[in-house]
Amino acid sequence: MEVGNVNDTGSTWGAAFRKRPVFFMSRKETEAFFDGKLRKNMELQEDTCTLSSNNMFRRPHTTYEVYDKDKGSAFLDLNFLIKDETSSLKGSLSDKKDVDFYNFTIPFLDFQRNYFGVEAYIDMPEGCDYDLILYDEYGNQVGKAEWDSEGRKKLTVPNWDINTNQYCLKVENGNGEEVSPDDFYRVSFHVCENKEHEKTDAVREAYGNLHSAYSRKDENWREYLDAYNAVLRETEQNYSKALEQLHQKQFDGLPEEKKYKGEHTVEELLQDLAEGKDLSEAEREYVKIYANLKDMEKAQQKAELKNSFSDAFVKELEGMGISRDDIEGMQVRIGSDGTVTVDGIEDETAREQVQKLVEKKYSDKMYQYYIGIADSVGNLPYNAYRYATDIQEVRRYLKRVTGADISLGDLYMMHDGKTGGLPKKADNLINNTKNNARTEQMSEALRNIIGNMRISGDLGVPDFTSQFQFKDGAFSVLDSGFAINMGALDGRLTPQSSGNMYSDMYKYQFEKVL
């Protein structure tokens, strides 16, 4: 069937697609379906079982457990909630400063976004006022939920183009009051009519013409490609304009006392935040509107590491008789298998106490700070980032299970989809454990690692050490980088188009952060 039929507003086929988006099942949804675990009103549980838990915006695995005492758990992506509007995600904030992030992708075909939009909702516990904030795949803040007539908050995913389909939701405490981890919120979605379809009409039509010409091997198909690229460039400019208009509208809608009237740029305010300086309420609102998600989270993590984390760490040491001055100048290294090394403390007994404290209580949290702050990790494209962080997840898990560091090069995928080459204890946990969120995550990470090792070949494994220094009374990250060429690795991991209509398509100049 030719794409031209899709663009024909009079066709029966095209009309059917405009009544309801066509959804395709993911692998996990297919497994759940054939196991009889898919149903209406499913309750997805927030995922906190990995090193990069849901207080981090960039997460390579976003699989959520649906518990069923009779049939066993299903594991689904957040995208499932767009396909099934009766189901929702159930989460909670552990304290008043906690934030939760949820990544999702628009799960229907790109051209269908010309006809459909997506709304996100958050239902909150009584007496709570949580913010639901939306970011696009470039880190731009593109929506903040507002109260609707039904006592919940709603936002609409912007439909400024059909090229951008990955998003991140942020849930945070809006009024700063105390919250309880037993107070649960729910996030759900609704597919609606696209009221901004005129923004994507030209893109859809230009793509349809290109695809049709290429399919029928029209010798002039590149003329259609040039026309499509021209539309993409114009759409990119319009996207930037729409973003500016949204931000201005949000700023204008603030109460007068919350409108920032200072002269500092967003970058300068973020630098102040990273250094631990308190921002005024107006400055915080300004940053929330205009700052890039990646830059804002990095600044906040730097500030937290320097202040609250360092203070809590020192306070615990003081209870052991070790002062802040005793650890001045020390360095902490955390290997990908979780091995902790502490240097720079003269007293051997004190050094061993510090090392045990990191191993027992702070290793995972420090790892989270490292991947959120170190540019060598944070600036990686998605595929390389996922590979590198999967290495850390799997190595630590396997060492905790077996007590030894396992060579990933010895692992392989078997015909039944299980992981081969594991020691007996790890093999039993990974391959035979059912209905467990942790082992499900590790199985997925192992599949990704084994596949990427095959692709990367002689380039090596993207291993890194999380490294910190304690100087001037506080922790900071020391970026240790990678021993292998990450640019070359990403070139192998990222599929490249060549000699077809996709190879010369215009790419947005926006930098992706998700």
Side-chain angles (χ1 to χ4, degrees):
M1 187 175 294
E2 294 184 359
V3 171
N5 290 338
V6 178
N7 297 322
D8 180 3
T9 57
S11 74
T12 302
W13 190 77
F17 272 80
R18 291 194 293 275
K19 291 180 180 178
R20 181 72 180 170
V22 173
F23 298 126
F24 296 96
M25 283 189 179
S26 68
R27 178 180 60 83
K28 294 183 180 299
E29 290 165 3
T30 302
E31 292 174 355
F33 175 78
F34 283 108
D35 288 340
K37 297 177 181 179
L38 283 190
R39 62 183 189 275
K40 298 295 183 183
N41 301 305
M42 300 184 80
E43 187 177 87
L44 280 65
Q45 306 290 332
E46 65 177 325
D47 172 23
T48 57
C49 67
T50 56
L51 292 174
S52 53
S53 58
N54 67 348
N55 60 352
M56 305 191 70
F57 78 92
R58 196 179 191 191
R59 305 187 62 217
H61 298 290
T62 51
T63 301
Y64 305 92
E65 182 177 10
V66 182
Y67 174 75
D68 188 306
K69 65 178 182 179
D70 297 320
K71 294 186 176 181
S73 295
F75 299 93
L76 303 170
D77 297 329
L78 196 68
N79 312 342
F80 172 77
L81 298 182
I82 301 178
K83 304 173 185 179
D84 177 17
E85 299 176 13
T86 70
S87 298
S88 62
L89 179 139
K90 179 182 178 182
S92 67
L93 298 179
S94 58
D95 56 62
K96 65 180 181 180
K97 293 185 178 180
D98 186 26
V99 296
D100 291 341
F101 290 99
Y102 301 103
N103 295 347
F104 68 95
T105 301
I106 302 298
F108 42 84
L109 300 173
D110 287 347
F111 79 86
Q112 290 183 300
R113 296 189 65 186
N114 199 70
Y115 308 109
F116 302 105
V118 174
E119 296 170 339
Y121 297 86
I122 181 169
D123 291 277
M124 291 158 285
E126 185 176 354
C128 293
D129 185 8
Y130 296 163
D131 286 337
L132 181 67
I133 305 172
L134 180 70
Y135 297 88
D136 64 14
E137 60 193 78
Y138 318 112
N140 302 309
Q141 188 266 105
V142 292
K144 182 177 179 181
E146 302 291 343
W147 290 103
D148 67 8
S149 59
E150 299 181 19
R152 56 183 180 177
K153 286 186 174 181
K154 178 185 78 172
L155 63 81
T156 300
V157 179
N159 225 329
W160 302 330
D161 71 344
I162 57 175
N163 204 44
T164 305
N165 68 348
Q166 294 179 317
Y167 296 90
C168 177
L169 284 171
K170 179 180 182 180
V171 179
E172 64 179 357
N173 189 21
N175 55 20
E177 296 182 1
E178 293 294 337
V179 302
S180 168
D182 296 325
D183 289 336
F184 295 101
Y185 61 81
R186 293 183 183 274
V187 174
S188 56
F189 293 91
H190 171 65
V191 175
C192 59
E193 178 188 357
N194 176 19
K195 297 180 180 179
E196 300 180 291
H197 64 85
E198 71 280 353
K199 290 184 171 67
T200 54
D201 280 340
V203 181
R204 176 182 60 85
E205 292 171 5
Y207 180 80
N209 292 334
L210 168 61
H211 194 280
S212 179
Y214 187 80
S215 299
R216 65 175 182 264
K217 299 181 180 179
D218 190 321
E219 62 181 13
N220 297 321
W221 70 268
R222 285 196 170 272
E223 294 180 8
Y224 293 96
L225 175 62
D226 292 341
Y228 179 59
N229 285 341
V231 172
L232 286 181
R233 291 188 182 93
E234 182 178 0
T235 303
E236 180 183 34
Q237 294 173 357
N238 292 336
Y239 194 100
S240 297
K241 292 177 182 177
L243 184 64
E244 292 173 4
Q245 292 171 357
L246 172 66
H247 288 172
Q248 187 63 52
K249 181 179 179 181
Q250 291 176 334
F251 181 81
D252 292 341
L254 292 172
E256 200 62 32
E257 67 273 12
K258 292 186 179 182
K259 292 181 179 178
Y260 177 62
K261 300 179 177 65
E263 297 181 353
H264 291 298
T265 64
V266 171
E267 290 73 21
E268 290 170 336
L269 292 175
L270 288 177
Q271 183 61 35
D272 288 344
L273 179 61
E275 292 173 359
K277 299 178 183 178
D278 288 330
L279 301 185
S280 69
E281 189 172 15
E283 289 172 333
R284 290 197 300 270
E285 291 295 334
Y286 189 73
V287 166
K288 284 182 180 180
I289 292 174
Y290 290 100
N292 186 277
L293 175 62
K294 177 182 174 182
D295 298 334
M296 181 168 60
E297 288 303 308
K298 181 177 179 180
Q300 289 177 331
Q301 293 230 334
K302 280 186 174 181
E304 187 178 311
L305 175 64
K306 180 180 180 180
N307 296 313
S308 59
F309 179 84
S310 294
D311 290 344
F313 189 90
V314 170
K315 185 177 181 180
E316 189 148 2
L317 287 181
E318 288 174 343
M320 304 176 185
I322 302 172
S323 71
R324 193 181 295 258
D325 290 339
D326 292 334
I327 62 173
E328 178 66 23
M330 79 168 177
Q331 291 190 356
V332 177
R333 297 179 181 84
I334 306 172
S336 60
D337 65 351
T339 299
V340 176
T341 305
V342 175
D343 297 311
I345 300 178
E346 292 185 3
D347 185 281
E348 185 64 21
T349 300
R351 188 194 67 78
E352 290 178 356
Q353 286 179 297
V354 173
Q355 183 165 308
K356 288 181 180 178
L357 179 62
V358 175
E359 290 172 343
K360 182 178 179 181
K361 188 172 182 179
Y362 291 111
S363 174
D364 290 353
K365 183 62 177 176
M366 292 179 76
Y367 165 78
Q368 291 178 18
Y369 284 127
Y370 185 84
I371 63 175
I373 296 171
D375 286 336
S376 63
V377 180
N379 291 340
L380 290 174
Y382 174 79
N383 289 330
Y385 178 88
R386 178 178 178 178
Y387 188 10
T389 52
D390 278 350
I391 294 291
Q392 301 272 331
E393 293 273 1
V394 165
R395 276 191 166 156
R396 293 183 191 211
Y397 177 78
L398 292 179
K399 186 172 183 179
R400 288 169 181 171
V401 169
T402 65
D405 189 18
I406 297 173
S407 173
L408 298 178
D410 295 335
L411 305 181
Y412 56 91
M413 294 304 300
M414 296 186 288
H415 294 299
D416 59 2
K418 295 183 178 181
T419 302
L422 291 167
K424 184 176 181 180
K425 186 175 182 180
D427 174 73
N428 186 52
L429 280 173
I430 294 292
N431 291 323
N432 298 322
T433 302
K434 295 183 178 180
N435 305 319
N436 181 278
R438 182 63 167 158
T439 55
E440 177 72 17
Q441 296 279 21
M442 290 304 101
S443 295
E444 184 175 345
L446 279 165
R447 283 192 291 268
N448 182 55
I449 290 171
I450 293 169
N452 283 335
M453 284 194 300
R454 187 181 302 114
I455 296 171
S456 58
D458 58 350
L459 289 178
V461 173
D463 202 0
F464 64 87
T465 297
S466 303
Q467 189 167 331
F468 304 81
Q469 68 175 355
F470 191 86
K471 185 178 180 181
D472 298 328
F475 278 108
S476 62
V477 162
L478 289 177
D479 196 336
S480 60
F482 290 87
I484 68 172
N485 187 331
M486 294 303 290
L489 177 63
D490 181 61
R492 293 190 184 180
L493 297 180
T494 304
Q496 303 294 325
S497 300
S498 177
N500 57 35
M501 75 176 202
Y502 298 102
S503 56
D504 293 324
M505 278 186 181
Y506 180 74
K507 303 292 191 301
Y508 281 4
Q509 300 306 299
F510 307 138
E511 178 186 353
K512 290 190 176 184
V513 304
L514 295 183

